[in-house]
Amino acid sequence: MIVKGKLMDAEDMCNTFRRMAHQVVEQDGAEDLVIIGIRTRGVTVAKRLKACIDAVEGTDIPLGVFDITLYRDDLEDLDSEVCFSGSEVSFAVDGKTVLLCDDVIYTGRTVRAALSEVMALGRPARIRFAALVDRGHRELPFKPDYTGKNVPTSRREGIAVRFVEDDGEDAVLIYDKE
């Protein structure tokens, strides 16, 4: 991986999560909100958004985790050693506003899989989607309701989101895949 540049540092990420949290509260409120992070890095995005919303609203919003592996549309094309870590949702979604969270949206296929998993759990009032980075190149017609940063990329480029919890630093990097 050849890093081309740093798009966000720790302070930028903190400010972005705060801004996104305020947008969520302004648009949807916090009363019937539940948050679900998509494994793996979407879980950290969800935790940080939850912390910001809880701080602003004085709430304790339910937080869940999705492993969308079983809902992927390319499962038969993947290696036979695909690891399913399991989903952890201990609350009902019926009548709730479900906020799905991921670190990067690219083709839209992960969002499609997460939507299928939400619908398997029940009938939410609405589903929203938050992505820290939108890098374009959609194959399916999904657009985040809340976006931290839009970064037009080429298909030869990638986005790496690093979190202090997993990587020792908070940063969003752009790199060349080749």
Side-chain angles (χ1 to χ4, degrees):
M1 174 170 82
I2 301 169
V3 175
K4 295 173 63 172
K6 184 180 283 190
L7 302 172
M8 298 173 86
D9 61 18
E11 185 177 349
D12 296 329
M13 289 174 73
C14 183
N15 290 335
T16 298
F17 283 117
R18 265 198 306 267
R19 176 180 49 79
M20 291 172 70
H22 282 281
Q23 290 172 337
V24 170
V25 170
E26 183 178 306
Q27 183 171 339
D28 293 310
E31 188 175 327
D32 287 321
L33 182 67
V34 297
I35 301 176
I36 300 175
I38 301 170
R39 282 198 204 275
T40 55
R41 297 195 182 267
V43 175
T44 306
V45 171
K47 287 178 180 177
R48 291 197 182 182
L49 277 175
K50 174 190 170 9
C52 289
I53 294 169
D54 285 346
V56 168
E57 293 295 299
T59 57
D60 185 16
I61 294 169
L63 176 70
V65 174
F66 271 174
D67 182 338
I68 54 99
T69 302
L70 298 179
Y71 291 87
R72 292 177 59 121
D73 62 1
D74 62 349
L75 197 55
E76 64 278 352
D77 298 334
L78 298 176
D79 188 351
S80 61
E81 295 182 25
V82 172
C83 180
F84 177 68
S85 300
S87 295
E88 302 163 23
V89 178
S90 61
F91 48 83
V93 299
D94 294 315
K96 303 290 185 183
T97 296
V98 175
L99 178 61
L100 293 171
C101 300
D102 208 359
D103 60 340
V104 177
I105 182 169
Y106 181 39
T107 63
R109 294 188 179 278
T110 298
V111 179
R112 191 225 39 93
L115 286 171
S116 295
E117 191 163 352
V118 169
M119 298 312 290
L121 292 176
R123 187 180 169 101
R126 70 191 55 80
I127 301 172
R128 303 284 194 222
F129 178 58
L132 183 60
V133 178
D134 182 346
R135 62 169 292 197
H137 302 287
R138 217 72 81 239
E139 295 173 4
L140 299 175
F142 295 109
K143 182 179 187 288
D145 298 284
Y146 310 104
T147 305
K149 188 171 191 74
N150 286 297
V151 182
T153 62
S154 75
R155 293 198 184 271
R156 293 185 331 267
E157 294 173 316
I159 300 290
V161 177
R162 299 177 55 82
F163 290 115
V164 71
E165 297 92 322
D166 305 311
D167 310 301
E169 71 170 335
D170 280 341
V172 177
L173 310 173
I174 187 167
Y175 63 91
D176 278 324
K177 290 182 180 178
E178 300 170 5

